[in-house]
Amino acid sequence: MTNTPESIAQSWLRYVHSWLNYWDNSSLSSPAELLLARLEERRKKNESKLAWDTMNDLRRLSDKSEEKECAEILLCCGLVAAEMDNFRDALKLFQGASSKYTTSQHHRAVAFWMAGCVQWLLPNKEVDAINSWRTSMKAFEALRDYNKSKGPRYDWYEKRCQDMAFALDSATKQYMIPALPEDSGEGAQNQNTDGEHSQTLSTEDSTHVSPIHHTVDSSKARMNITVDRLSVFSVYDHIAAGDFSPSGILLEPISNMEIDRVLIDDCQYGIFSLSRDQRILNLAGEHGFYLLRVHGTSMNKAKPISIENGDYVLMRAQRTADNGDIVAAEISSIDNQDNQATLKRFVKSNGKIYLLPESDNPKYIDKMDANDYYTKLDHGFHICGKALAVFKPMSD
């Protein structure tokens, strides 16, 4: 095979794909494995149309799969697409896989490196390729450091990091995809537990790794770390995105927003409590931020991000607002028994305060003259928070 950029990229893809389940079992179910075997057979026979039909079947299968299996299916399909010289579709599949690997830094890093391999082959994507590879290498460096006390794992990640650093340096200097490391054949071994290989391929075989990695003996132990959670914001129900209506802002929170991982420099990190008696670390309520669940449609055309019914809005508790801020505005009684609030755009003009809806609902066209509420008996108007971000439900 000639050393064209395409052949080099394909060799990199096969090499890096062999890292995917080096320390873990494959996530593929039997139906997925059978379809991927059929896909590989059709690729080898140059039956392009049948191969793409099988790939579409796999995509439909992945739609109903758990995230990790879905990601592995997409990654395997991307490898086959790249082998068929369809690098644009391969990139989409690799990027889809990286977005699905939400709980495994190792697998996500492999997907990023594979995406970078095909980005080198697409017009004006060199910088994107460098960024994908940098993201991947940072993740592997973090995993290497995490496994510092685990000899075989540390050595394996250290070797991969050396390969990645050399490739990234060469690629940046030459502005082209670099050749594989000379000893890349050793990367095609699959290892399930420290020091014990479950599957060994020769150097020659390692450049022809099938997209199917058969599931190894399920009795093998896999690393299983319980991730703890961080309780970040108190959640209050609710804030009206309509007229002033009863508010839950000053009541007790109904829940807390919790996270079990954070993203630092594009690398995911799990959260682990140092106290085994306290598995949920509570920061909620300690830093002046809170969440409000939105009820109503008076801000569903807000700029730059729409605020729709059912969204959560991240608020910073404050009593003042600048012109143009989106705020939680409240009118409260002396005894706080009849509090009402709304979410609107704060506008001050000619010494008067207005609350502006931004909606496609004809019911919410007119601005509210907040000054009217100063005259209400036993009521006072005030700002109780500024909106900073919107949390929206994401589709799978």
Side-chain angles (χ1 to χ4, degrees), residues 137-341:
M137 188 172 73
K138 285 179 182 178
F140 263 43
E141 287 173 340
L143 288 165
R144 175 199 62 193
D145 295 343
Y146 178 79
N147 287 282
K148 210 158 195 174
S149 62
K150 302 175 182 178
R153 285 181 183 268
Y154 175 83
D155 294 342
W156 189 88
Y157 280 114
E158 171 64 13
K159 179 60 174 67
R160 303 290 84 74
C161 288
Q162 291 174 3
D163 290 347
M164 296 165 106
F166 180 80
L168 190 53
D169 182 66
S170 300
T172 306
K173 288 177 179 176
Q174 301 171 16
Y175 230 55
M176 58 186 293
I177 189 167
L180 277 174
E182 291 183 2
D183 57 353
S184 59
E186 70 182 36
Q189 294 173 328
N190 185 36
Q191 183 163 320
N192 188 289
T193 57
D194 289 357
E196 182 179 359
H197 294 281
S198 61
Q199 183 180 16
T200 303
L201 302 176
S202 68
T203 301
E204 180 180 357
D205 291 338
S206 72
T207 59
H208 296 88
V209 178
S210 165
I212 304 300
H213 284 276
H214 296 291
T215 304
V216 297
D217 186 355
S218 60
S219 64
K220 302 281 189 182
R222 70 168 68 188
M223 185 171 68
N224 184 21
I225 299 176
T226 301
V227 180
D228 300 323
R229 287 177 288 170
L230 193 64
S231 182
V232 186
F233 303 123
S234 297
V235 179
Y236 293 84
D237 197 6
H238 59 269
I239 183 71
D243 297 323
F244 276 98
S245 67
S247 163
I249 299 176
L250 297 181
L251 303 178
E252 288 298 313
I254 61 168
S255 182
N256 289 321
M257 189 192 87
E258 297 175 351
I259 58 175
D260 64 3
R261 63 184 63 89
V262 295
L263 197 66
I264 303 173
D265 288 337
D266 288 326
C267 295
Q268 291 193 62
Y269 292 80
I271 296 168
F272 302 94
S273 173
L274 295 177
S275 170
R276 293 300 85 192
D277 296 326
Q278 187 178 4
R279 305 305 294 266
I280 299 178
L281 305 177
N282 188 19
L283 300 183
E286 294 183 3
H287 41 52
F289 296 91
Y290 57 93
L291 291 177
L292 288 174
R293 183 173 175 85
V294 176
H295 290 248
T297 59
S298 70
M299 297 299 288
N300 66 359
K301 289 297 180 181
K303 303 295 184 182
I305 302 295
S306 63
I307 302 175
E308 299 170 280
N309 186 59
D311 289 347
Y312 285 90
V313 181
L314 174 62
M315 308 295 299
R316 179 169 61 211
Q318 60 184 63
R319 291 290 186 175
T320 61
D322 294 327
N323 215 9
D325 287 345
I326 294 177
V327 301
E330 188 170 70
I331 49 175
S332 57
S333 62
I334 293 175
D335 58 4
N336 283 333
Q337 295 300 307
D338 188 24
N339 299 334
Q340 296 189 1

